[in-house]
Every structure is written in structure tokens, then in C-alpha cells.
Amino acid sequence: MKNSPTASTRLINFLGSMNLAISLLVVLAIASIIGTVLKQNQPYTDYQIKFGSFWFDLFQSLGLYDVYSAVWFLGILAFLVISIATCVGRNTPGILRELRHFRENVQEKSLRAMKHQFTLPVSMAATEAQTLAQRILASQGFKTRQKAAEDHMVVAGMKGGANHWGYWLTHLGIIVICLGGLMDSRLPLMIGEWQGALKPETRNMPASEVPSVSQLPTSSFSYRGSVDIPEGGSANVIFLPVRDGYFVQHLPFDVEVKDFRVEHYSTGMPKSFESDLVIRDKDLPKPMEATIAVNHPLIYKGVAIYQANFGDGGSRVNLRLHPFNNQYAAQDVEGNIFKDYKLTSSNQQYKLELTDFRLFNINDMEEPDGTTKKTNLGPSVSFKLRDATGQAMEYQNYMNPVSIKGQIYYISGVRSTPAEPFRYLHIPVDPKGGMERFMRFLSNMQDQELVKKSALETTRDSMQQAAVKSPDVENQVVESMVRLTTLFAAQGSDGVMQEITERFPEDKRESASEAFMKVLNASLRSIYQETLKQEGVTGEATDADLAFFDDSLLAIDKISAYGSPWFVQLTNFKHIEASGLQITRSPGKDVVYFGSVMLIIGVFLLFYVAHRRIWVWIKPLENDQSEIVLAGSTNRNLPEFEHYFKRLQETFRQAMVHEVKHVSSTGSD
Amino acid sequence: MSVPQEAIESLLEQPGLFKRLNLKDWVWAAIVLAATAFVFVNYGKVMDAYEIGILALSAPGLIGLGWYWKAFQPYALAVAACSLLGIWLYGGDYGNAEQVFGLKFLFSSQSAVMWMSALFVLATVTYFAGLFANNGFTLKTGSAITWAALIMGFTGLMVRWYESYLIDPEFGHIPVSNLYEVFILFCLITGLLYLYYEGRYKNRTLGGFVLLVISAAVAFLLWYSFEKGADKILPLVPALKSYWMKIHVPANFVGYGAFALAAMTSVAYLLKAGGEKRNPQGFTATRLPPLEMLDDITYKAIALGFAFFTIATILGAMWAAEAWGGYWSWDPKETWALIVWLNYAAWLHLRFSKGWRGVPMAWWAIVGLFVTLFAFLGVNMFLSGLHSYGEL
């Protein structure tokens, strides 16, 4: 090194230093961890809630929500690539020398100083020894150079130069991979954003209305985005998610989803997702049809189309709204998923927001023996019911009745926020397979006349049996029956309990509630009898009828907390699915693969080929005698080389000593 | 002057590969080829082009492995015999798993894996007993038990492969698809790698150390199957239905197995180095192999692991490009694979370029195992992402 290295030499020394390279490897590894611990590219509101505004802002300014696109992260990567390139550039002249030079001008002294060296006196002329040494080395796969000086001769051999190719292939391979990755990166978008020519859209709106500053032309070099296309629909754009927004990327063709299919195993687990696609492009004589599936994409014009996920594509559903209140009328609604509908047949305004339809619902169901089993509950519709104040409850209603522990129910899940689990309302199914009996029973409970009438009958019956005759008592009992029944029908058992709490001091409540429940139960029973009579059922109530009565009361008890004035029954549907397609154009892929192959070949050459050198230094002695010095070196796998060198020593000894003996014995002839 | 040219020629002549092979090697090659042909004739119709390609390449691969490592030949034949026996005992009826004695107690996949587990633990104890007693025969017994465990374990996987088709032809798949199955694979590959080095270096004293890590995996495996019922054969999710799985997963586990082996030889290194410092006549200083040898095995294992891990990660990227639409998505599993790779790349650079050896590198290799373990297990347990097949 010169006395005063210039700034550029110092820079190159720094960039090409091993310490920097190793530090960068470690720094990159540590930086990569961040993105695995902090979930990337989530909605920004989630981060805000999680971290609070101070940390949210700090993390945002550090780009932690999309670490792998953050400038500082890309900077580390670029730094690493520059460091590798500098290393390769700095080491290449030395390696070329190493590969070209056989070092036949080596000094005897330095050979004798080597770790692997061996001196052997041989009884043969130096030229003869030289020829033989050359042949031995050549037979072992060494390339050789020879030198004849005045007082000595040298045979220098080497093999395994491919080891150095391993160095180039691995390091250049990494650079090639990074360049390929750069070709597919979003660098152009980042530059466009930085220049102000592009800006991601954050509002939820149809692609056609997105301003042009968020639109990307079909000529984009690389992209990777996704789009959901309903069956029968088509699209010529995809959405590229960027931080908390998106860009609209135009495709050079139209994709139509003709059909989307999910196939299931016998266990109900999904077996395959497939979409039948039609590609329309002015360059095609006629539309091209193709089927894609998970692991089987379609590649057209360098653009790959993948089956990524699926969802509802706006299924048509028929709903029957059964009112829980007999003042409302039943109504039918026909609508599409993702659309909103106004409901008016009540004294309040409601908005029905249809959110999802599912054809299959594989749930864990408890069997009669207590074990759980995955069961398909069939189609369901999910919706939100929003009242005039903007409050919404979320529901998931199953179309088909579900059998639970031998009883059959219509079930509906309800929750007020997506974070909660669903609570379920179980409405018992009547012998005709509908919910008519339940609705009639409920309606009868709210019918003052009917309640009064059956209360009177019940009271008279029981008073006759008890041989009591007192109009006062009778009126009192009937009145409480009616009041309690109305209370129960409107507010459930909570309403009754509240009444008790209000009217009785604490020490009397227990006996009061016992009495109340008796009265209420008698009333409800008689109303139920009346309901059965209206249905045309005669004779004694069966066990099934009694179980239905109990289940009905359990359900009615929960209606007040159910939050909806209707039970929404799914009566019919036309399933329209949407196929979620991931569409990418990645011209750098083949570059990356090429770099990967370089890397793999290089790794094996580096580890499993050793660059070995052998020198044979031959010193002529008198009487056709000579002395040879055998020395060797390697840059890998020293233990193996030790074995090898010992064997080589033996070969030299046998070849040269054996021959000498032979020569002398024949020479005496 | 007449020089006996023949003598020199014979000395110079390097015996070619084929001359170094004996009759056994040729029989081995013939068996592998015959088996490959049998598979192709019987099942070629249901294999896609890639699978036929994998089959065609695995034949020379197996032959080469058997020629390079002779002990692999009898091992593979024993596994084949046991597996075929198990399949024959099934006779096409999955119900036989509980009925036929040979299946219920030996060769049904669950029984075979139980045998593997028990034998691995027994081998660990035996190896350590041999080391403490300084008894060659006990150590030899340890090797024999390890071989037996490996035979049962591999048989278990093979039979499980068959069972998956017996339960339902649609379920059928190679048993490398979930955490339970790959844990068995991990035990097998680590065990085989160890036995290779044991034969190569003619030293059995490291057996206990390496089998310790296998025993830990066995403990997890048992907990996982008893507590979580993970040994149940389930059909594949659509994302895993790909020929890539057949090569990506095993390549990965050669990497994981080799890294685990390197960490355990490093533990031995640290014990030996510490022992030599404290008491050169002491137990660890005298019983354990020389430091150079431990260092060499560690390096060889990390190099092998690194090479296969590189291949596996690249195969994974290629699969990701086909399944998820991008060869690199910075998914947690991908990122952690990169972290593992960078970690060992740094290790290798320090060794090659800076010539680092000894205690710090041994510590690093042990830390490397924990990094690997997190990539292998921790990601599935603590982080979510695309790679969610192996969830606990």
C-alpha cells in the first residue's frame, strides 16, 4: 500500500472489506426480522389502535408498515450488492493470477517450508524423474507446467480451479438475483410518487372513477396485484395495494370469469379451487379459454394469472322477514349480496346491508355422544341491520334447520362487533318443518284478547278443581297472568324478574318469583294449547309438543336481546361466486432463476472442489541420481488433502524406487 | 534398458469409478433400477411429467448415494423390505391396522413411528453409557439401535404414504405435508447424517450428543401426536397439491438436519475445549474426539446444510412463484429462511476468509440452531403468514 492512499482507494478498500460484508449480512438479517414480527401492510387504522398515535407516527415515518419497501431497507440491500461487487472486482485479478500461474518458479526453500512436503532420494536421472513426475501428476488429473533450470527442474501441477469459479458464480449469482428482484420491484412507483406524478388512492370507489394520478398504464414493466371477478363478470384492471391505499393497474387484455368451482373432499375440506377464464384481446383471433387452479396458473403475454382466493360475487337471495311483533307485517325481500335495502314495515326505519352468502358452512358440531364432528350446515346469509341512529347488529342466518342433540332448530347468530363471537338464537322447527307454530305461539302471546280468554279459562278450571269461588281472586289471577305474559313476550324473563325486583322487598322475592313463574307458566301453557288447537292438533300434547314448548320459551326469552324486530329466513338463492385472481407481470423472474442456478452451482464448487497444487522439485545428483522434493497445498478440506498427500507420496516412492531397482537388476545383464 | 512399463502403468492408472465397484454395488444398482421400472410401469399413468422426472432422477440419485456410502445399501433394502411387508399385511384394507398383529405392533405407520421414538431414546442412553463406560461394544450397540430406529422410522413414513391412499385415494400424498410428518423426517435425516459421519470418521463418541437433539424432536413428536392428535392422516389443502412439495420439503430438512448436527458437534467441541483447559486428563478432554475432527465435522455439516438449504429456498421461491404469484413475498417463513441463510453465510465467510476457528464459531453454530429452530417451528407458532400448514 502506498503511503497516502487516495480517497477512492480508501472507499474501495472499505466497500470491499470482509468486515463490512459480514456486518451487512448480519444487519440485513436483523432488519428482516422487523417485518416478520410486525404484521405488514395491515389497514392503518389497525396500527393506530394498536400503537397509539405517537408510536403510530414514529413507526410510519420509519416505514415499518412496509419495511421491505422502506428506503433504508432497500439502502442496506443496495449497500450489500455494492459491497459484493467491489469484493468480486478486487479479488478477480488475484484469482486470475491464481488460475493462470503454476508457480513453477517456486524456491526450494519455500517448498521445504510448506506444511505438506516430503523429500525422496531417487536413483534415476533428473530428466527421467521429471518425465515420470509429470506422468504421475497428469494421471491424477493435474495440469502441469515444467521448468528446467541449470541446477534443478520443476514440475508444477494444479487442479480444482473450478473452486474459484465457485467464488464468482456464488457472488455474481447473488448480484444477478438482486438485479432480477429490482426489475420486478416497485421502484418506478416509488420514484413516481416521490416526483409527485403518482399518488395511491385511499378511497373505496369503482376503478373507473379513480383519478388518473392513481392509474397505471398497460405498458408498466412489472406489477403484482389482485382483483375479484364475479362469475360472468370480467375485468381489465387489477389493484396494487400500496401502504394504506392502492393503484389501479390496467391490463393489456380482458379477463372474464365464466365459472368458479370449489371441490370438496369427503371430510368437507376443500380439495380444489378452479376458475374457467376467457381472455379477450384484440391480438387474439378469438377469445382464449383456459382453466386455472391453485398451483396451475395461466401465463399469457408474459402476464401470469393465479387462482388466489374466492368470495361471494353478489349472490341473489330471497329473504322472508318474520316479525317478532304482531303489529308488524311479514315481508319478502329479494336482494343481492353487497347491496343495501330499506325496510319500512315497522315503526322504525332499518337498513338491511347484505354482506355475505356462503354455500357451505363446515362447523364443529357436538354429537349426542359428546364428541365434536365437522358438519356441513349448508347455506347461510350474513347481513347487518342498521337502525335510524346508525347502530348496527350483525347476523348470520342458516337456511336449513340444524339438528342439535336430537332437536331441530332454525339458527341465527348475532353480534354487535366483529370482534365478538356469535351468540345464537335457536327457533324450534314445527312438525311441518317450518316456524309457523313458533310464530303463531309468539303472536298469540301478544294478543291481549286471546291471552285474557285463555287466562280466564285456566283460572276457572283450576278454581273449580280447588272448589274456590271468588270473583275477586279470579280477576286478580287473570290480571297477573295477562300482565306477566305480555311482559314475558316483550322482554323475556328479564322483564319478569325486573317487575319482581321493583314490587317486592328482597326477602320476599324468592317466594314471589316462584309464584309468578307458576302463574306465567300456566298462562303460557294454555296459550300454547290454544296455538295447537288453532293449528288443528287435537288430543293430548305429545312429548315432542312439550319439548317444542320448552324450546320456544327459551327462544322467546332471548328475543329482546336479539336486536332485530324480524327473524330473517333465507328461502331461496342463486349463488354467484367471485374468483380472486392474482395477476402478475414479472420479467425479472427468469433473471432471478438464472442467478439462483449460478448460486447453487457455485456453492457446490466452493464447498466440494478444492484448489490443489503439487510441486515436484528435482535436483540432479551425481551418477544419474537425483533428489526430489514433493510439496503441496490446498485451499479447502485440509484433512482430506492430508490423506491424499500421503497416498501421493506412496505413489512417488513406489514408482521411482521400484523402477530404480528394476533398472539396476536388468542393468547387470 | 528395459523398463517394466506395465508396473508403472498400473501404478499410474487411476481406477475409474466403475472399476472400484464390486458385485454388491451392481446388484444394488440393478435393484434400484428394477424398483424404479416397477413403479413407473404400475403408477406412471397417474404421475404427471414432473413427477416422472423426479422418479427418473431419484434412481441415479439413490444408486449414487449407495455407491458413495455403502452402508446406505443394506439400510435402504431393509426399509424397502419392512415397508413392503407392511403394505402386504394391509392387503388393501385400512381396518387391518388394528386387526393384524404385524401391523398393530410393528409396521402400521403409527406403531413404526412409536418404535422409532423408543429406539432413538434407547440409542441416546446407550451411546452415553458407552461414552461414560468407555466401552466400545456399548457404543457399537448404540449404532445398531440407531440403525434400527432409522429403519422403523422410514418404514413408518413409507407405510403412512400407502395408508393415506388406503383411507381414501383422494387423500393420498407423500408424508411431508404437516408438522408431524416433517418431524419424523427431521429425526431420520439427522440420524442418517450422523451415521454417515460416524462411519466416515470411525468414531462413535458423538452419538449421544446428536441423538440428544433427535430425542428432543421425538419428545415433541409424541406430545404432538398424543395431545393434539396430529398423527391423523388428513387430505392436502389445495395449495400443497404440487410436485414441488416432494422436493422442496426434503431438501429443506437435509439443511435443518445438518444444522442440528453441526450444533451438537459444537456442543461436544465446547465441552472438549473447556475440559482441556480445566483438566487435560479429565473425562471430556480424553473421551471426546480431537478438536480438529469436531471442527471439521461442524464445518462439513454446515457446508452441506447450507448447500441444501440454498437449493430448498430457491425451490421454495419457484413453488411460491407458481402458487402465490410471486417468487418472493417477504412472507414470515420466507424471511426467516433468508435470515437462517444469511446467518450461515456469515459463518462460512468468517471461516473461509478470516480463518476463524474454535470456540466462538462453535458458539455461533449453536446459536444458529436456535435461529433455524425458530424458522422451522417458531414461525408457525408465533407468526402468521402464507405458510400456515404446520400450525400447532
Side-chain angles (χ1 to χ4, degrees):
Chain A
M1 205 98 323
K2 284 170 200 158
N3 286 344
S4 55
T6 63
S8 62
T9 323
R10 267 190 301 193
L11 181 66
I12 287 180
N13 283 345
F14 168 69
L15 285 175
S17 82
M18 202 65 229
N19 290 341
L20 176 71
I22 294 173
S23 311
L24 282 173
L25 290 179
V26 175
V27 168
L28 185 63
I30 293 169
S32 302
I33 295 176
I34 298 173
T36 67
V37 177
L38 178 60
K39 241 183 160 187
Q40 298 286 289
N41 293 311
Q42 299 295 300
Y44 274 29
T45 45
D46 289 8
Y47 292 125
Q48 218 151 9
I49 293 166
K50 203 164 163 190
F51 301 123
S53 65
F54 173 76
W55 293 108
F56 172 78
D57 290 343
L58 182 68
F59 289 171
Q60 189 178 13
S61 61
L62 289 173
L64 295 193
Y65 308 133
D66 192 6
V67 166
Y68 306 112
S69 303
V71 174
W72 61 269
F73 189 84
L74 297 178
I76 298 176
L77 268 178
F79 207 16
L80 182 66
V81 169
I82 292 168
S83 158
I84 295 173
T86 315
C87 273
V88 172
R90 276 203 338 162
N91 288 335
T92 295
I95 294 173
L96 285 176
R97 263 201 307 280
E98 184 82 352
L99 281 175
R100 278 205 211 108
H101 295 276
F102 284 74
R103 303 208 185 134
E104 62 272 22
N105 293 320
V106 70
Q107 300 292 312
E108 185 185 3
K109 214 169 41 185
S110 40
L111 288 186
R112 286 190 187 280
M114 282 187 170
K115 192 176 174 213
H116 298 100
Q117 52 86 22
F118 168 76
T119 311
L120 181 72
V122 293
S123 322
M124 87 173 45
T127 46
E128 222 177 310
Q130 187 187 18
T131 318
L132 196 52
Q134 195 276 334
R135 281 181 64 194
I136 292 174
L137 290 185
S139 74
Q140 305 260 343
F142 282 86
K143 279 191 215 148
T144 56
R145 286 275 187 288
Q146 303 188 36
K147 180 188 138 187
E150 272 175 33
D151 60 341
H152 71 275
M153 289 174 228
V154 177
V155 181
M158 71 172 167
K159 74 171 178 183
N163 177 277
H164 298 293
W165 283 96
Y167 171 80
W168 282 319
L169 284 172
T170 45
H171 291 81
L172 294 177
I174 295 284
I175 295 176
V176 170
I177 289 173
C178 289
L179 289 178
L182 186 69
M183 288 168 73
D184 289 345
S185 75
R186 288 186 170 177
L187 202 62
L189 292 188
M190 291 169 75
I191 294 171
E193 268 192 79
W194 179 65
Q195 289 175 332
L198 291 172
K199 190 174 165 291
E201 179 58 63
T202 51
R203 292 164 296 173
N204 197 353
M205 55 167 67
S208 54
E209 292 168 23
V210 170
S212 62
V213 73
S214 309
Q215 308 241 8
L216 303 170
T218 55
S219 56
S220 298
F221 188 63
S222 72
Y223 43 82
R224 180 175 175 190
S226 58
V227 62
D228 293 340
I229 306 177
E231 288 172 308
S234 71
N236 61 358
V237 293
I238 55 172
F239 300 92
L240 313 183
V242 179
R243 298 189 303 276
D244 56 341
Y246 59 90
F247 284 113
V248 175
Q249 168 69 54
H250 290 260
L251 299 173
F253 50 79
D254 272 26
V255 190
E256 183 196 325
V257 173
K258 257 173 65 180
D259 188 26
F260 172 79
R261 288 179 300 276
V262 185
E263 278 170 40
H264 293 85
Y265 290 109
S266 53
T267 57
M269 287 168 68
K271 185 170 87 181
S272 76
F273 306 113
E274 288 177 15
S275 294
D276 290 338
L277 304 182
V278 183
I279 306 292
R280 293 202 172 76
D281 183 3
K282 54 184 185 313
D283 294 351
L284 284 171
K286 64 181 176 72
M288 181 173 79
E289 301 205 1
T291 299
I292 59 167
V294 178
N295 277 316
H296 299 281
L298 167 71
I299 297 172
Y300 172 66
K301 276 193 167 176
V303 177
I305 306 176
Y306 301 88
Q307 181 70 63
N309 50 37
F310 66 97
D312 196 86
S315 294
R316 189 101 188 124
V317 290
N318 296 70
L319 305 173
R320 169 141 260 249
L321 275 55
H322 300 277
F324 290 130
N325 189 322
N326 65 358
Q327 289 164 15
Y328 297 168
Q331 59 176 322
D332 288 310
V333 175
E334 192 174 353
N336 290 84
I337 302 301
F338 305 129
K339 295 254 165 67
D340 300 346
Y341 300 90
K342 282 212 157 45
L343 299 178
T344 49
S345 68
S346 64
N347 50 12
Q348 270 202 63
Q349 290 283 338
Y350 282 98
K351 196 163 77 172
L352 174 70
E353 303 169 10
L354 298 177
T355 53
D356 198 11
F357 171 84
R358 286 206 219 155
L359 189 58
F360 296 105
N361 285 282
I362 314 288
N363 287 25
D364 279 323
M365 296 300 287
E366 203 176 321
E367 295 279 283
D369 62 1
T371 58
T372 56
K373 193 183 154 198
K374 288 205 183 309
T375 315
N376 181 10
L377 300 186
S380 72
V381 63
S382 300
F383 58 92
K384 281 184 184 164
L385 208 54
R386 198 175 291 281
D387 65 19
T389 65
Q391 294 287 325
M393 295 283 261
E394 190 186 344
Y395 299 88
Q396 186 185 15
N397 289 8
Y398 293 85
M399 182 177 189
N400 299 327
V402 175
S403 164
I404 298 169
K405 291 181 184 157
Q407 299 293 330
I408 306 171
Y409 307 92
Y410 281 105
I411 60 175
S412 164
V414 57
R415 62 184 176 190
S416 47
T417 65
E420 290 172 28
F422 277 114
R423 291 171 288 124
Y424 287 94
L425 180 67
H426 296 80
I427 294 189
V429 174
D430 61 33
K432 288 182 188 146
M435 50 176 72
E436 211 172 300
R437 181 188 288 182
F438 175 82
M439 286 300 167
R440 180 176 287 145
F441 180 33
L442 181 61
S443 162
N444 285 344
M445 251 184 245
Q446 295 164 348
D447 182 343
Q448 294 283 334
E449 290 302 307
L450 192 144
V451 173
K452 204 167 187 174
K453 197 179 118 216
S454 60
L456 209 58
E457 277 169 21
T458 318
T459 315
R460 283 193 182 140
D461 275 3
S462 53
M463 283 175 87
Q464 247 163 25
Q465 275 171 18
V468 187
K469 200 158 188 169
S470 156
D472 272 1
V473 175
E474 187 184 281
N475 276 342
Q476 223 174 339
V477 172
V478 168
E479 197 228 334
S480 7
M481 271 189 168
V482 173
R483 199 183 62 251
L484 288 174
T485 307
T486 316
L487 208 54
F488 180 73
Q491 293 169 41
S493 52
D494 284 352
V496 178
M497 291 315 288
Q498 207 180 336
E499 164 109 355
I500 293 167
T501 321
E502 279 165 15
R503 281 179 46 183
F504 295 93
E506 204 167 334
D507 54 328
K508 297 254 175 76
R509 276 177 204 163
E510 203 172 316
S511 54
S513 75
E514 208 172 297
F516 271 35
M517 285 305 162
K518 244 182 210 161
V519 171
L520 176 60
N521 199 286
S523 165
L524 293 175
R525 233 169 242 288
S526 76
I527 297 169
Y528 184 60
Q529 286 296 342
E530 185 58 34
T531 310
L532 290 180
K533 214 189 281 169
Q534 288 170 1
E535 207 180 280
V537 178
T538 49
E540 278 296 291
T542 61
D543 280 354
D545 290 335
L546 293 176
F548 187 97
F549 173 70
D550 292 340
D551 285 334
S552 298
L553 295 189
L554 285 176
I556 292 166
D557 191 22
K558 283 186 184 164
I559 286 176
S560 61
Y562 183 65
S564 161
W566 296 280
F567 184 85
V568 177
Q569 190 187 11
L570 176 61
T571 54
N572 205 352
F573 63 84
K574 183 169 177 282
H575 190 204
I576 301 167
E577 282 169 294
S579 181
L581 303 180
Q582 167 122 229
I583 300 186
T584 65
R585 180 177 148 78
S586 83
K589 189 166 92 171
D590 291 334
V591 179
V592 170
Y593 289 177
F594 183 74
S596 303
V597 172
M598 286 172 71
L599 178 62
I600 292 177
I601 295 174
V603 163
F604 277 90
L605 291 178
L606 259 185
F607 292 156
Y608 298 108
V609 176
H611 190 208
R612 289 173 173 176
R613 288 178 180 279
I614 299 287
W615 291 270
V616 188
W617 174 288
I618 304 153
K619 205 168 13 175
L621 300 176
E622 287 169 10
N623 300 333
D624 278 356
Q625 305 275 307
S626 3
E627 185 188 68
I628 64 168
V629 180
L630 185 69
S633 73
T634 183
N635 70 342
R636 284 283 181 281
N637 298 343
L638 211 57
E640 265 93 84
F641 185 70
E642 252 157 48
H643 288 295
Y644 176 75
F645 192 74
K646 273 194 195 122
R647 279 206 310 275
L648 192 67
Q649 238 170 271
E650 202 43 45
T651 309
F652 267 86
R653 192 199 302 276
Q654 279 182 17
M656 298 198 171
V657 175
H658 175 83
E659 195 184 22
V660 167
K661 272 182 191 160
H662 221 97
V663 169
S664 58
S665 67
T666 48
S668 63
D669 220 295
Chain B
M1 202 164 78
S2 64
V3 179
Q5 279 296 332
E6 320 80 63
I8 292 185
E9 291 303 334
S10 74
L11 197 63
L12 290 185
E13 192 185 310
Q14 290 295 299
L17 170 67
F18 292 114
K19 287 223 172 124
R20 273 182 279 150
L21 298 174
N22 57 30
L23 180 65
K24 264 193 201 160
D25 294 325
W26 289 113
V27 172
W28 162 249
I31 292 173
V32 172
L33 286 176
T36 309
F38 176 82
V39 170
F40 179 72
V41 169
N42 281 281
Y43 305 106
K45 293 179 287 296
V46 292
M47 298 165 95
D48 65 24
Y50 298 99
E51 288 165 331
I52 290 173
I54 294 171
L55 178 69
L57 288 176
S58 52
L62 274 178
I63 292 175
L65 184 57
W67 283 352
Y68 179 69
W69 181 28
K70 307 284 181 187
F72 185 75
Q73 297 179 19
Y75 170 67
L77 293 176
V79 169
C82 293
S83 308
L84 289 172
L85 180 60
I87 291 169
W88 177 74
L89 287 172
Y90 264 115
D93 179 8
Y94 187 56
N96 280 340
E98 292 300 320
Q99 306 297 324
V100 177
F101 181 86
L103 289 175
K104 194 173 177 189
F105 295 103
L106 278 174
F107 295 128
S108 78
S109 71
Q110 307 209 4
S111 311
V113 170
M114 285 304 139
W115 274 107
M116 175 198 84
S117 307
L119 288 168
F120 269 136
V121 174
L122 187 63
T124 314
V125 174
T126 313
Y127 267 126
F128 273 124
L131 179 64
F132 285 115
N134 200 11
N135 183 320
F137 178 75
T138 315
L139 286 170
K140 232 178 188 170
T141 311
S143 302
I145 299 173
T146 309
W147 277 115
L150 288 168
I151 291 172
M152 290 314 281
F154 219 114
T155 303
L157 278 189
M158 291 306 212
V159 174
R160 188 177 169 88
W161 198 346
Y162 175 72
E163 284 169 357
S164 70
Y165 282 89
L166 264 192
I167 291 173
D168 186 336
E170 287 198 322
F171 286 19
H173 61 267
I174 186 170
V176 292
S177 70
N178 61 25
L179 214 48
Y180 173 81
E181 291 165 345
V182 296
F183 252 89
I184 302 174
L185 189 67
F186 171 80
C187 295
L188 295 178
I189 289 181
T190 311
L192 282 172
L193 284 173
Y194 165 70
L195 284 178
Y196 169 74
Y197 287 116
E198 182 185 279
R200 182 94 191 258
Y201 288 84
K202 300 191 172 44
N203 189 311
R204 298 181 201 273
T205 50
L206 292 174
F209 293 92
V210 179
L211 282 177
L212 211 52
V213 99
I214 298 181
S215 292
V218 162
F220 175 85
L221 192 68
L222 294 180
W223 169 80
Y224 197 41
S225 42
F226 286 126
E227 200 64 25
K228 305 264 176 171
D231 48 352
K232 199 165 173 231
I233 297 177
L234 291 173
L236 287 181
V237 299
L240 289 182
K241 296 180 97 182
S242 169
Y243 60 91
W244 287 107
M245 186 175 78
K246 296 183 172 72
I247 46 181
H248 166 66
V249 179
N252 240 319
F253 278 84
V254 175
Y256 290 147
F259 293 149
L261 180 77
M264 295 319 283
T265 51
S266 294
V267 169
Y269 187 100
L270 291 177
L271 286 176
K272 170 98 173 173
E276 279 183 350
K277 212 182 269 170
R278 279 192 309 274
N279 176 11
Q281 302 311 314
F283 177 77
T284 51
T286 51
R287 296 282 170 79
L288 291 173
L291 287 178
E292 298 78 53
M293 183 181 138
L294 290 169
D295 182 73
D296 195 47
I297 299 180
T298 305
Y299 156 69
K300 290 234 167 75
I302 286 184
L304 181 78
F306 186 78
F308 274 88
F309 199 74
T310 307
I311 294 178
T313 307
I314 289 169
L315 289 174
M318 290 177 163
W319 186 6
E322 204 170 292
W324 301 330
Y327 48 82
W328 198 261
S329 317
W330 294 103
D331 167 74
K333 194 81 172 184
E334 284 175 350
T335 309
W336 273 94
L338 178 70
I339 292 166
V340 169
W341 192 87
L342 289 170
N343 177 51
Y344 285 107
W347 193 94
L348 288 162
H349 274 93
L350 276 179
R351 196 186 154 98
F352 283 163
S353 306
K354 301 236 131 193
W356 280 29
R357 293 277 192 286
V359 173
M361 295 300 269
W363 275 113
W364 193 336
I366 295 170
V367 172
L369 177 64
F370 286 96
V371 177
T372 310
L373 193 68
F374 190 83
F376 165 22
L377 208 54
V379 173
N380 294 356
M381 284 165 72
F382 303 117
L383 308 174
S384 58
L386 297 164
H387 243 95
S388 54
Y389 323 114
E391 260 169 33
L392 278 174

